Amino acid sequence: MGFVYRIASPSEYLAITGYGIIDVKLAKKAWIAPGQRCTRFDISPVNYTFELSHHVNELVKGVIEGETRVLAASMTMEEIFRGTKSFKQAVFENVQLELNQFGLVIYNANVKQLVDVPGHEYFSYLGQKTQQEAVNQAKVDVAEARMKGEVGAKERDGTTRQNAAKVDAETKVYTVKRQGEGAKEEARVKAEVKVFENEREAEVAAANSELAMKKAGWEQQARVAEVEAAKAVAIRDAELQVEVERRNAARQTEKLKAEHLSKAVVDYEMKVQQANWELYNRQKAAEARLFEQEKEAEARRAAAEAAFFARQREAEAELYAKQKEAEGLAAMGQAQSAYLSAMLGALGGSYVALRDYLMINSGVYQEMARINADAIKGLEPKISVWSSGASGEVGDASGGGGAMKEMAGVYKMLPPLLTTVHEQTGMLPPAWMGTLTTDRPSTSS
């Protein structure tokens, strides 16, 4: 017998043994030499069906229910509802760990549906909330697309007007230039001296015109910058307010979820989302109005450049001065901010101590003392003490003692008064009047 070439089918392998092969050779195709033996074996998968007893079914069901309850207790309702895939995977892994000890393997598992128990509609309300959020997002996308279209139209219109104004201005400049050249040639023919005088006057006029145009441009840019800064501050304030409201609403929502888990929670969240949506619409409308105002301002600026060129130059000069002044104010503000930050750090982060230091440093307390002193300045209070004395006769020894007792009673009222002032203001009486102790106030004259 000679060599034979064997080929296995897609679901088979060739097992070759015999001459020249130490153990077994597996191949899909091979030459079979004399003294070798080839055997085909099938590797097609085979399904085996086993009928599990009722006890095994109850065991698997108990494991699945127990692990599902444990996992659900560690997650919020929103995590279960929105992360169904991750929830299923976690249940799959936990249940498989328990079934490994019984020799059981899970090949596939699915969560059929999250259903509310009778009397509770939490999942249905969450579905309504998700649907409402999708509708609101679609409205936002439509509004943004509409805004981009309108802004693009405004930009194209403004560009067309700017180019037209630029061409008109260049035409006027060329016409004036040609007229000036003709007048200069005629003046040169008449008299060389007159030409020199006219040239000097033209240079002075040109310098004045350029300065005027720069001043006008600077002034206009300064006004535009002020408007943009004010709008930016307003927009940022609105964004911060929205963030604060959103966080407050989220915190309140979590508290209500823990207390009720009912329809009131979902209704509150829907109202919060609606309020945020309305606030977002107002913010976008404000931004659109601001953008339109900016574009209208640019269009007016282009028209002003063509019609009032000299005034623009003057405004540019004023703008330059205001910009330098603004830079100085900004530098001063940064220095003051660094100073206050350093002072706050030196005072241990106490805003009350920083406030007191600033009031002392700026002379607020001195000014308050001066005002109070001016209020009683010139007063000459007189105190009269009347006492009939122990015997009813004025001027005897006992009568004098009664007057001194009255003065002593007035003086005894000073310690409680000074203590109250110290507790309310932190101020201590002067040394010549008395001192305060921790146990009780005492005074010395």
Side-chain angles (χ1 to χ4, degrees), residues 257-413:
K257 287 177 182 178
E259 293 178 355
H260 302 289
L261 291 177
S262 62
K263 180 179 178 181
V265 178
V266 179
D267 291 341
Y268 177 77
E269 291 181 354
M270 294 178 65
K271 290 180 181 179
V272 171
Q273 292 292 335
Q274 186 66 26
N276 291 337
W277 162 244
E278 293 176 357
L279 179 60
Y280 178 80
N281 287 338
R282 290 197 297 270
Q283 180 179 356
K284 289 299 181 180
E287 292 178 356
R289 289 195 296 271
L290 173 61
F291 188 80
E292 291 179 357
Q293 291 175 0
E294 291 176 353
K295 291 303 180 180
E296 291 176 358
E298 291 178 0
R300 289 196 297 270
R301 181 176 61 184
E305 288 176 357
F308 305 100
F309 198 66
R311 183 177 178 182
Q312 180 184 3
R313 294 302 182 184
E314 181 180 359
E316 289 177 356
E318 295 183 1
L319 172 61
Y320 180 78
K322 289 186 176 293
Q323 286 179 343
K324 291 301 181 181
E325 182 180 357
E327 291 176 0
L329 293 176
M332 183 180 296
Q334 292 178 356
Q336 291 180 352
S337 177
Y339 171 72
L340 291 177
S341 299
M343 289 301 300
L344 184 60
L347 294 174
S350 175
Y351 288 94
V352 176
L354 178 61
R355 180 200 62 193
D356 295 340
Y357 173 77
L358 293 177
M359 293 181 67
I360 294 173
N361 193 32
S362 58
V364 175
Y365 290 126
Q366 293 86 336
E367 184 64 18
M368 293 172 59
R370 186 189 63 77
I371 294 173
N372 293 332
D374 292 341
I376 63 173
K377 185 177 181 181
L379 296 180
E380 297 180 357
K382 296 181 179 180
I383 302 174
S384 300
V385 179
W386 297 86
S387 177
S388 60
S391 61
E393 296 180 359
V394 179
D396 59 1
S398 61
M404 293 305 295
K405 289 181 180 180
E406 296 294 335
M407 293 300 294
V410 173
Y411 194 77
K412 288 180 179 179
M413 291 188 295

Side-chain angles (χ1 to χ4, degrees), residues 187-207:
R188 187 183 62 80
V189 173
K190 291 181 180 180
E192 294 294 335
V193 178
K194 187 65 175 177
V195 170
F196 179 78
E197 295 176 353
N198 290 339
E199 288 178 350
R200 298 301 300 169
E201 293 176 357
E203 292 177 357
V204 173

